[in-house]
Amino acid sequence: MAQPKLATESSAAPAGVRSKDATKYASVARAATKLEVIVVPVSDVNRAKEFYSRLGWRLDADFDSGKDFRVIQFTPPGSACSIIFGRSVTAATPGSTQGLYLIVSDIEAARNDLLDHGINVSKVFHGASGIYAGTDEPYLFGRRRVSGPDPDHGSYRSFASFKDPDGNGWLFQEVTARLPGRIDPATTTFESAKTLACALRRAAAAHGHYEKRIGMADPDWSNWYAEYMVREQAGQELPQ
């Protein structure tokens, strides 16, 4: 397996926004402002609750006044951000929320998990670089979809989409390595055992190339693995 490549910029970013901007402003001290809730407009609260339960998301709350107000909150596995929907929660048109991104480390595994739960999800696709053709389905500002994963398996570049019963649109985006400035380099966490295993496999592949270059088995392989995995997650230059 080739050493993973960092995308030169996020596929979801407008052309004028480059990865260096994230690094430039990352050092500016600000009060913590954590995005934790997104409102999803639905027409049938019970139907929506059943759908998001089938996704395997955690049900955090179901508050019902018994009259004119009800709010339900779900949180995707590993996410710090939740969704809410209900009755008298939003005036937005049901199904009008599009382009909700769910970041995964293994897009095929994430897609298969939905299929196993009876959820209709698109095949994996990537964007046609530089080609914008209106709104096929809401995706990256109208960029044309191309069947199959990104040929270079670049981080940020492979997707799959699905909708809830009202038509609110969700996208899986495969991220295996973050761009510089996207993660605090002082902390390294993995959201699940599967994510950690994927990181270990990428480190093992890169380490295999390293041992070929030095012409011997590396007795300090564990430290090399650790350095590789920390740098990869922080979007820093990878060890050679």
Side-chain angles (χ1 to χ4, degrees), residues 36-55:
E36 292 199 354
V37 175
I38 293 174
V39 181
V40 176
V42 304
S43 59
D44 186 321
V45 180
N46 288 325
R47 181 179 66 176
K49 181 179 180 181
E50 190 276 335
F51 175 81
Y52 287 102
S53 293
R54 277 202 292 144
L55 292 182

PDB file of all heavy atoms in Angstrom, residues 36-55:
ATOM      1  N   GLU A  36     -22.364  22.030  18.371  1.00  0.00           N
ATOM      2  CA  GLU A  36     -22.839  20.810  19.013  1.00  0.00           C
ATOM      3  C   GLU A  36     -24.224  20.365  18.557  1.00  0.00           C
ATOM      4  O   GLU A  36     -24.595  19.218  18.788  1.00  0.00           O
ATOM      5  CB  GLU A  36     -22.843  20.991  20.540  1.00  0.00           C
ATOM      6  CG  GLU A  36     -21.436  21.103  21.106  1.00  0.00           C
ATOM      7  CD  GLU A  36     -21.369  20.814  22.595  1.00  0.00           C
ATOM      8  OE1 GLU A  36     -22.427  20.633  23.214  1.00  0.00           O
ATOM      9  OE2 GLU A  36     -20.249  20.772  23.123  1.00  0.00           O
ATOM     10  N   VAL A  37     -25.006  21.242  17.891  1.00  0.00           N
ATOM     11  CA  VAL A  37     -26.355  20.856  17.489  1.00  0.00           C
ATOM     12  C   VAL A  37     -26.680  21.422  16.117  1.00  0.00           C
ATOM     13  O   VAL A  37     -26.403  22.588  15.835  1.00  0.00           O
ATOM     14  CB  VAL A  37     -27.413  21.364  18.508  1.00  0.00           C
ATOM     15  CG1 VAL A  37     -28.816  21.056  18.009  1.00  0.00           C
ATOM     16  CG2 VAL A  37     -27.196  20.744  19.875  1.00  0.00           C
ATOM     17  N   ILE A  38     -27.260  20.584  15.263  1.00  0.00           N
ATOM     18  CA  ILE A  38     -27.785  21.000  13.962  1.00  0.00           C
ATOM     19  C   ILE A  38     -29.261  20.626  13.910  1.00  0.00           C
ATOM     20  O   ILE A  38     -29.632  19.504  14.279  1.00  0.00           O
ATOM     21  CB  ILE A  38     -27.020  20.322  12.807  1.00  0.00           C
ATOM     22  CG1 ILE A  38     -25.571  20.831  12.769  1.00  0.00           C
ATOM     23  CG2 ILE A  38     -27.719  20.565  11.469  1.00  0.00           C
ATOM     24  CD1 ILE A  38     -24.708  20.121  11.760  1.00  0.00           C
ATOM     25  N   VAL A  39     -30.106  21.563  13.466  1.00  0.00           N
ATOM     26  CA  VAL A  39     -31.541  21.314  13.382  1.00  0.00           C
ATOM     27  C   VAL A  39     -31.877  20.727  12.012  1.00  0.00           C
ATOM     28  O   VAL A  39     -31.455  21.255  10.978  1.00  0.00           O
ATOM     29  CB  VAL A  39     -32.341  22.612  13.598  1.00  0.00           C
ATOM     30  CG1 VAL A  39     -33.840  22.330  13.521  1.00  0.00           C
ATOM     31  CG2 VAL A  39     -31.994  23.241  14.938  1.00  0.00           C
ATOM     32  N   VAL A  40     -32.595  19.613  12.016  1.00  0.00           N
ATOM     33  CA  VAL A  40     -33.000  18.937  10.782  1.00  0.00           C
ATOM     34  C   VAL A  40     -34.530  19.009  10.678  1.00  0.00           C
ATOM     35  O   VAL A  40     -35.232  18.483  11.549  1.00  0.00           O
ATOM     36  CB  VAL A  40     -32.531  17.467  10.778  1.00  0.00           C
ATOM     37  CG1 VAL A  40     -33.033  16.744   9.540  1.00  0.00           C
ATOM     38  CG2 VAL A  40     -31.006  17.384  10.854  1.00  0.00           C
ATOM     39  N   PRO A  41     -35.066  19.651   9.642  1.00  0.00           N
ATOM     40  CA  PRO A  41     -36.524  19.793   9.530  1.00  0.00           C
ATOM     41  C   PRO A  41     -37.198  18.531   8.985  1.00  0.00           C
ATOM     42  O   PRO A  41     -36.803  18.014   7.936  1.00  0.00           O
ATOM     43  CB  PRO A  41     -36.691  20.965   8.556  1.00  0.00           C
ATOM     44  CG  PRO A  41     -35.462  20.924   7.708  1.00  0.00           C
ATOM     45  CD  PRO A  41     -34.361  20.392   8.580  1.00  0.00           C
ATOM     46  N   VAL A  42     -38.181  18.017   9.709  1.00  0.00           N
ATOM     47  CA  VAL A  42     -38.887  16.800   9.296  1.00  0.00           C
ATOM     48  C   VAL A  42     -40.392  17.031   9.365  1.00  0.00           C
ATOM     49  O   VAL A  42     -40.875  17.911  10.084  1.00  0.00           O
ATOM     50  CB  VAL A  42     -38.497  15.594  10.173  1.00  0.00           C
ATOM     51  CG1 VAL A  42     -36.983  15.376  10.163  1.00  0.00           C
ATOM     52  CG2 VAL A  42     -38.995  15.757  11.596  1.00  0.00           C
ATOM     53  N   SER A  43     -41.140  16.222   8.621  1.00  0.00           N
ATOM     54  CA  SER A  43     -42.605  16.350   8.603  1.00  0.00           C
ATOM     55  C   SER A  43     -43.289  15.363   9.538  1.00  0.00           C
ATOM     56  O   SER A  43     -44.363  15.639  10.068  1.00  0.00           O
ATOM     57  CB  SER A  43     -43.127  16.149   7.172  1.00  0.00           C
ATOM     58  OG  SER A  43     -42.762  14.866   6.685  1.00  0.00           O
ATOM     59  N   ASP A  44     -42.683  14.193   9.736  1.00  0.00           N
ATOM     60  CA  ASP A  44     -43.262  13.144  10.565  1.00  0.00           C
ATOM     61  C   ASP A  44     -42.229  12.772  11.628  1.00  0.00           C
ATOM     62  O   ASP A  44     -41.239  12.090  11.339  1.00  0.00           O
ATOM     63  CB  ASP A  44     -43.618  11.937   9.699  1.00  0.00           C
ATOM     64  CG  ASP A  44     -44.368  10.848  10.462  1.00  0.00           C
ATOM     65  OD1 ASP A  44     -44.018  10.604  11.633  1.00  0.00           O
ATOM     66  OD2 ASP A  44     -45.277  10.228   9.878  1.00  0.00           O
ATOM     67  N   VAL A  45     -42.464  13.224  12.848  1.00  0.00           N
ATOM     68  CA  VAL A  45     -41.467  13.070  13.911  1.00  0.00           C
ATOM     69  C   VAL A  45     -41.201  11.599  14.235  1.00  0.00           C
ATOM     70  O   VAL A  45     -40.051  11.185  14.376  1.00  0.00           O
ATOM     71  CB  VAL A  45     -41.910  13.827  15.172  1.00  0.00           C
ATOM     72  CG1 VAL A  45     -40.863  13.670  16.276  1.00  0.00           C
ATOM     73  CG2 VAL A  45     -42.128  15.298  14.869  1.00  0.00           C
ATOM     74  N   ASN A  46     -42.246  10.804  14.342  1.00  0.00           N
ATOM     75  CA  ASN A  46     -42.062   9.387  14.688  1.00  0.00           C
ATOM     76  C   ASN A  46     -41.331   8.634  13.579  1.00  0.00           C
ATOM     77  O   ASN A  46     -40.485   7.770  13.860  1.00  0.00           O
ATOM     78  CB  ASN A  46     -43.412   8.729  14.972  1.00  0.00           C
ATOM     79  CG  ASN A  46     -44.008   9.190  16.283  1.00  0.00           C
ATOM     80  OD1 ASN A  46     -43.284   9.442  17.245  1.00  0.00           O
ATOM     81  ND2 ASN A  46     -45.327   9.305  16.336  1.00  0.00           N
ATOM     82  N   ARG A  47     -41.641   8.962  12.330  1.00  0.00           N
ATOM     83  CA  ARG A  47     -40.947   8.319  11.202  1.00  0.00           C
ATOM     84  C   ARG A  47     -39.458   8.678  11.216  1.00  0.00           C
ATOM     85  O   ARG A  47     -38.595   7.824  11.005  1.00  0.00           O
ATOM     86  CB  ARG A  47     -41.595   8.747   9.887  1.00  0.00           C
ATOM     87  CG  ARG A  47     -40.958   8.099   8.662  1.00  0.00           C
ATOM     88  CD  ARG A  47     -41.650   8.542   7.383  1.00  0.00           C
ATOM     89  NE  ARG A  47     -41.449   9.970   7.124  1.00  0.00           N
ATOM     90  CZ  ARG A  47     -41.880  10.592   6.034  1.00  0.00           C
ATOM     91  NH1 ARG A  47     -42.559   9.912   5.111  1.00  0.00           N
ATOM     92  NH2 ARG A  47     -41.661  11.886   5.868  1.00  0.00           N
ATOM     93  N   ALA A  48     -39.157   9.946  11.469  1.00  0.00           N
ATOM     94  CA  ALA A  48     -37.765  10.374  11.527  1.00  0.00           C
ATOM     95  C   ALA A  48     -37.035   9.708  12.693  1.00  0.00           C
ATOM     96  O   ALA A  48     -35.884   9.289  12.562  1.00  0.00           O
ATOM     97  CB  ALA A  48     -37.685  11.895  11.659  1.00  0.00           C
ATOM     98  N   LYS A  49     -37.718   9.578  13.822  1.00  0.00           N
ATOM     99  CA  LYS A  49     -37.098   8.930  14.980  1.00  0.00           C
ATOM    100  C   LYS A  49     -36.761   7.474  14.655  1.00  0.00           C
ATOM    101  O   LYS A  49     -35.671   6.984  15.003  1.00  0.00           O
ATOM    102  CB  LYS A  49     -38.025   8.994  16.183  1.00  0.00           C
ATOM    103  CG  LYS A  49     -37.438   8.352  17.441  1.00  0.00           C
ATOM    104  CD  LYS A  49     -38.388   8.443  18.635  1.00  0.00           C
ATOM    105  CE  LYS A  49     -37.779   7.788  19.870  1.00  0.00           C
ATOM    106  NZ  LYS A  49     -38.681   7.845  21.036  1.00  0.00           N
ATOM    107  N   GLU A  50     -37.644   6.784  13.987  1.00  0.00           N
ATOM    108  CA  GLU A  50     -37.403   5.386  13.620  1.00  0.00           C
ATOM    109  C   GLU A  50     -36.218   5.281  12.662  1.00  0.00           C
ATOM    110  O   GLU A  50     -35.359   4.391  12.792  1.00  0.00           O
ATOM    111  CB  GLU A  50     -38.663   4.790  12.995  1.00  0.00           C
ATOM    112  CG  GLU A  50     -38.615   3.282  12.785  1.00  0.00           C
ATOM    113  CD  GLU A  50     -37.929   2.858  11.487  1.00  0.00           C
ATOM    114  OE1 GLU A  50     -37.913   3.674  10.537  1.00  0.00           O
ATOM    115  OE2 GLU A  50     -37.407   1.735  11.426  1.00  0.00           O
ATOM    116  N   PHE A  51     -36.128   6.210  11.714  1.00  0.00           N
ATOM    117  CA  PHE A  51     -35.036   6.183  10.735  1.00  0.00           C
ATOM    118  C   PHE A  51     -33.688   6.383  11.407  1.00  0.00           C
ATOM    119  O   PHE A  51     -32.753   5.599  11.189  1.00  0.00           O
ATOM    120  CB  PHE A  51     -35.262   7.274   9.680  1.00  0.00           C
ATOM    121  CG  PHE A  51     -34.130   7.404   8.694  1.00  0.00           C
ATOM    122  CD1 PHE A  51     -34.034   6.547   7.611  1.00  0.00           C
ATOM    123  CD2 PHE A  51     -33.151   8.384   8.859  1.00  0.00           C
ATOM    124  CE1 PHE A  51     -32.981   6.659   6.701  1.00  0.00           C
ATOM    125  CE2 PHE A  51     -32.098   8.500   7.964  1.00  0.00           C
ATOM    126  CZ  PHE A  51     -32.017   7.637   6.888  1.00  0.00           C
ATOM    127  N   TYR A  52     -33.557   7.431  12.224  1.00  0.00           N
ATOM    128  CA  TYR A  52     -32.266   7.711  12.839  1.00  0.00           C
ATOM    129  C   TYR A  52     -31.906   6.668  13.901  1.00  0.00           C
ATOM    130  O   TYR A  52     -30.718   6.433  14.162  1.00  0.00           O
ATOM    131  CB  TYR A  52     -32.240   9.138  13.390  1.00  0.00           C
ATOM    132  CG  TYR A  52     -32.142  10.160  12.268  1.00  0.00           C
ATOM    133  CD1 TYR A  52     -33.259  10.875  11.833  1.00  0.00           C
ATOM    134  CD2 TYR A  52     -30.944  10.367  11.606  1.00  0.00           C
ATOM    135  CE1 TYR A  52     -33.175  11.778  10.784  1.00  0.00           C
ATOM    136  CE2 TYR A  52     -30.844  11.268  10.546  1.00  0.00           C
ATOM    137  CZ  TYR A  52     -31.967  11.968  10.144  1.00  0.00           C
ATOM    138  OH  TYR A  52     -31.866  12.860   9.089  1.00  0.00           O
ATOM    139  N   SER A  53     -32.901   6.011  14.462  1.00  0.00           N
ATOM    140  CA  SER A  53     -32.619   4.882  15.354  1.00  0.00           C
ATOM    141  C   SER A  53     -32.006   3.733  14.572  1.00  0.00           C
ATOM    142  O   SER A  53     -31.068   3.068  15.037  1.00  0.00           O
ATOM    143  CB  SER A  53     -33.908   4.402  16.036  1.00  0.00           C
ATOM    144  OG  SER A  53     -34.414   5.359  16.925  1.00  0.00           O
ATOM    145  N   ARG A  54     -32.526   3.484  13.360  1.00  0.00           N
ATOM    146  CA  ARG A  54     -31.995   2.396  12.525  1.00  0.00           C
ATOM    147  C   ARG A  54     -30.557   2.661  12.102  1.00  0.00           C
ATOM    148  O   ARG A  54     -29.805   1.715  11.812  1.00  0.00           O
ATOM    149  CB  ARG A  54     -32.865   2.205  11.287  1.00  0.00           C
ATOM    150  CG  ARG A  54     -34.096   1.360  11.524  1.00  0.00           C
ATOM    151  CD  ARG A  54     -34.621   0.769  10.233  1.00  0.00           C
ATOM    152  NE  ARG A  54     -35.159   1.793   9.359  1.00  0.00           N
ATOM    153  CZ  ARG A  54     -35.056   1.790   8.029  1.00  0.00           C
ATOM    154  NH1 ARG A  54     -34.394   0.820   7.418  1.00  0.00           N
ATOM    155  NH2 ARG A  54     -35.598   2.748   7.306  1.00  0.00           N
ATOM    156  N   LEU A  55     -30.159   3.937  12.041  1.00  0.00           N
ATOM    157  CA  LEU A  55     -28.771   4.252  11.702  1.00  0.00           C
ATOM    158  C   LEU A  55     -27.816   3.825  12.812  1.00  0.00           C
ATOM    159  O   LEU A  55     -26.600   3.772  12.611  1.00  0.00           O
ATOM    160  CB  LEU A  55     -28.612   5.754  11.460  1.00  0.00           C
ATOM    161  CG  LEU A  55     -29.290   6.367  10.232  1.00  0.00           C
ATOM    162  CD1 LEU A  55     -28.957   7.852  10.147  1.00  0.00           C
ATOM    163  CD2 LEU A  55     -28.886   5.657   8.955  1.00  0.00           C
TER     164      LEU A  55
END
